[in-house]
């Protein structure tokens, strides 16, 4: 009876050892990032090193683009990956937002190559009044609001070509000012046809 129990214990120990020595299933990921054809001209201007990378699935990984290894080792399964630029304010000057997202699978012993297509996610707004307008006013301000945040351009901001960026939503535009004859100026309008990557140029003519 004692020998029987000992034999069972040895067999069980042998199975545990065999399982511990079995190789872990693993696959590999190579990530490249490219620009949407609409935004190709921005590729040379944008430093992507501080963009955030998030990988979700069997494992969770987050890092900066500059920290992303050339080859990642991952547990097999289904994943998603996203890239996004820093700064996510709904309205801000000089803050274009870029990003991209895709899904992929990792298979045991295989290398998956994933290309992330990065595009502009918000909208650019600039103010460009006509000379006929600016020659008739002392001062003015332009306010643009997307319902989540607003930006105000002074005359000096307009002269400097300052660009504002807004998350995608209809834009309300209002102007207040004073003419050379000291008359109060006001205007209100709405831009409802909006999409990511749009550049809305707001212009005012004679009044």
């Amino acid at each position: 009876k004692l020998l029987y129990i000992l034999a069972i214990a040895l067999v069980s120990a042998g199975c545990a050892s065999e399982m511990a020595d079995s190789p872990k299933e693993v696959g590999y990921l190579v990530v490249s990032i490219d620009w949407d054809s609409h935004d190709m001209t921005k590729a040379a201007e944008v430093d992507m090193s501080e963009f955030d990378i998030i990988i979700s699935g069997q494992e969770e990984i987050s890092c900066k683009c500059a920290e992303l290894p050339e080859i990642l080792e991952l547990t097999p399964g289904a994943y998603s990956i996203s890239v996004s630029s820093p700064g996510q304010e709904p309205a801000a000057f000089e803050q274009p937002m870029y990003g991209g997202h895709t899904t992929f699978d990792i298979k045991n012993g295989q290398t998956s190559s994933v290309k992330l297509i990065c595009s502009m996610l918000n909208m650019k707004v600039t103010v460009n009044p006509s000379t006929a307008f600016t020659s008739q006013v002392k001062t003015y301000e332009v306010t643009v609001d997307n319902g989540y945040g607003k930006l105000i351009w002074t005359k000096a901001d307009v002269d400097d070509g300052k660009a504002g960026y807004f998350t995608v939503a209809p834009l309300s535009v209002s102007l207040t000012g004073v003419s050379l004859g000291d008359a109060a100026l006001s205007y209100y309008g709405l831009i409802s046809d909006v999409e990511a990557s749009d550049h809305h140029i707001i212009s005012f003519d004679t009044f």
Side-chain angles (χ1 to χ4, degrees), residues 95-113:
Q95 185 197 264
M97 291 165 50
Y98 302 107
H101 176 272
T102 191
T103 58
F104 63 94
D105 293 318
I106 292 292
K107 296 181 180 179
N108 186 40
Q110 297 183 22
T111 299
S112 299
S113 296

Side-chain angles (χ1 to χ4, degrees), residues 24-188:
K24 174 188 173 184
E25 289 196 345
V26 67
Y28 305 93
L29 174 67
V30 175
V31 180
S32 62
I33 303 175
D34 205 350
W35 288 90
D36 180 272
S37 57
H38 183 73
D39 297 302
M40 282 296 288
T41 55
K42 300 181 179 69
E45 306 169 9
V46 179
D47 177 11
M48 301 183 72
S49 62
E50 289 300 308
F51 281 27
D52 294 305
I53 297 280
I54 297 177
I55 298 173
S56 300
Q58 298 298 312
E59 299 182 48
E60 303 290 323
I61 297 172
S62 63
C63 64
K64 299 295 184 182
C65 274
E67 302 167 345
L68 187 68
E70 289 186 13
I71 300 178
L72 273 172
E73 186 178 287
L74 294 172
T75 302
Y79 288 86
S80 65
I81 182 170
S82 64
V83 59
S84 59
S85 58
Q88 300 293 317
E89 295 296 324
F93 285 113
E94 309 304 337
Q95 185 197 264
M97 291 165 50
Y98 302 107
H101 176 272
T102 191
T103 58
F104 63 94
D105 293 318
I106 292 292
K107 296 181 180 179
N108 186 40
Q110 297 183 22
T111 299
S112 299
S113 296
V114 171
K115 178 180 283 189
L116 270 171
I117 302 299
C118 203
S119 60
M120 187 172 168
L121 303 180
N122 55 0
M123 306 180 296
K124 181 179 181 179
V125 173
T126 53
V127 180
N128 185 29
S130 70
T131 303
F133 174 84
T134 56
S135 64
Q136 297 181 63
V137 298
K138 285 182 179 178
T139 184
Y140 64 92
E141 285 186 351
V142 177
T143 302
V144 180
D145 192 327
N146 68 350
Y148 304 99
K150 66 180 180 181
L151 298 176
I152 298 173
W153 279 258
T154 64
K155 183 178 182 299
D157 293 331
V158 174
D159 291 342
D160 290 342
K162 204 168 185 178
Y165 291 84
F166 295 83
T167 51
V168 179
L171 299 171
S172 65
V173 180
S174 59
L175 174 143
T176 58
V178 178
S179 72
L180 291 179
D182 292 327
L185 307 175
S186 65
Y187 167 84
Y188 177 83

